[in-house]
Amino acid sequence: MSKRAKVLRAVEYVVLSILSIVSIFPFIWMIIAATNPSVEVTKGTLIPGTYFFENLKTLLASDLDYLGAFKNSIVIAVVTTAVAMVVSSAAGYAFQIYKSRARDRIFNIILLSMMVPFAALMVPLFRLFSKFKNIPVLNLIALDSPGAVIIIAVATAFLIFFFRQNTKTFPKELVEAARIDGLGEFGIFTRVYMPTMKSTYAAAIVVTFMTSWNNYLWPLIALQSADKRTLPLVISAMGSSYTPDYGMMMTAVVIATIPTALIFFLMQKQFVAGMTGSVKG
């Protein structure tokens, strides 16, 4: 290796090291803040303390029902992710495998919906879901119910586009071979397509779970009862008090970060493979 190449490699490592420190510093500070009382957090201390369990006791003893909000977030995120994987992947699969004259037009309309900001949809969605309360079956997705938050996230334009793009790498010969063997369309989708596209599902699971877990705006509007609130709403309420307890807030944020961090680190290899569009059997 030449001297110039060594210098460039050294500069590359230095730049990447700086960027890594800048990226990870907020997480380090968050953990340190969770171990200190509120006064030390406001001072900007960077030394770990011994106040974590006191902050945890204060958090659990507060009237914000943090554990209840944690359970609500888990239920909503898990159900949203599970249903979205089935609905969105089926839509993406169908758009790519089955040909029709209207297919591309419908798909383009779905893509155009990504250009509409959610702020423009809040009022129509609120008025629509408010009418479901007294209607049988539909009351399951009425306002102030977990279904109202789940239903709008199970078939997003991004997920449908993501699955369709990855389905382009799916071997069409497998579909033809399965049909020759007498397997029905539902069987082809569940027994051939889904196992083959494991990496794509893994990437979609990570993205969907994180999006649902961190969702704030629509739950703020749809979930009006205190016992139905999710973690982002409870953490936001902590910061809106007259004298916020920053140590308790950071403890709440650290705990809220654990599920998404676990899912990402456990599925990071499949996530990378799925985002690059590879198919593994």
Side-chain angles (χ1 to χ4, degrees):
M1 183 181 293
S2 64
K3 185 177 180 180
R4 185 171 180 272
K6 290 181 180 179
V7 172
L8 291 175
R9 179 63 61 86
V11 171
E12 180 182 348
Y13 280 130
V14 170
V15 172
L16 290 176
S17 298
I18 294 173
L19 291 176
S20 299
I21 293 171
V22 171
S23 300
I24 201 172
F25 176 77
F27 298 97
I28 296 174
W29 182 85
M30 176 182 69
I31 295 172
I32 292 174
T35 64
N36 286 288
S38 184
V39 176
E40 294 297 323
V41 177
T42 54
K43 289 180 180 179
T45 182
L46 296 176
I47 301 174
T50 59
Y51 215 75
F52 176 77
F53 290 104
E54 291 297 326
N55 288 331
L56 183 61
K57 289 179 183 178
T58 305
L59 175 64
L60 298 180
S62 67
D63 58 356
L64 294 171
D65 191 18
Y66 184 81
L67 291 180
F70 192 93
K71 183 190 71 174
N72 293 338
S73 289
I74 285 288
V75 171
I76 290 174
V78 170
V79 174
T80 299
T81 303
V83 179
M85 291 306 99
V86 176
V87 176
S88 296
S89 65
Y93 171 82
F95 273 120
Q96 182 60 30
I97 298 299
Y98 303 116
K99 298 180 180 180
S100 68
R101 292 182 179 178
R103 182 186 66 171
D104 291 334
R105 294 178 182 176
I106 296 173
F107 186 72
N108 289 334
I109 293 173
I110 293 175
L111 291 183
L112 285 173
S113 68
M114 297 177 67
M115 301 181 184
V116 181
F118 185 75
L121 302 176
M122 289 190 301
V123 174
L125 284 174
F126 180 86
R127 296 189 63 180
L128 175 65
F129 282 86
S130 63
K131 297 178 181 179
F132 293 159
K133 192 169 185 179
N134 299 319
I135 303 177
V137 180
L138 289 180
N139 59 5
L140 295 175
I141 59 173
L143 288 179
D144 204 25
S145 69
V149 179
I150 294 170
I151 193 66
I152 67 169
V154 298
T156 63
F158 169 76
L159 274 181
I160 295 173
F161 170 78
F162 177 72
F163 275 106
R164 186 190 182 184
Q165 290 302 110
N166 280 273
T167 303
K168 291 181 179 180
T169 64
F170 177 69
K172 306 302 185 298
E173 296 80 8
L174 293 179
V175 177
E176 298 300 329
R179 287 172 179 167
I180 293 173
D181 290 340
L183 198 61
E185 297 302 317
F186 180 77
I188 294 172
F189 177 73
T190 56
R191 297 171 62 181
V192 178
Y193 176 79
M194 294 180 75
T196 305
M197 306 294 290
K198 287 186 294 185
S199 59
T200 301
Y201 277 98
I205 286 172
V206 173
V207 172
T208 305
F209 186 90
M210 286 185 172
T211 302
S212 178
W213 186 263
N214 297 321
N215 193 11
Y216 174 78
L217 188 56
W218 178 241
L220 177 65
I221 298 170
L223 304 177
Q224 301 165 348
S225 301
D227 61 332
K228 302 289 181 62
R229 292 186 299 183
T230 56
L231 281 180
L233 304 184
V234 170
I235 293 173
S236 175
M238 292 179 186
S240 62
S241 61
Y242 186 71
T243 55
D245 187 335
Y246 293 109
M248 181 184 71
M249 285 180 59
M250 291 300 102
T251 303
V253 173
V254 168
I255 297 173
T257 306
I258 293 174
T260 52
L262 281 176
I263 287 180
F264 179 79
F265 285 117
L266 290 174
M267 306 180 69
Q268 58 181 325
K269 291 183 179 179
Q270 295 87 344
F271 174 78
V272 173
M275 294 303 291
T276 56
S278 63
V279 177
K280 294 183 179 180

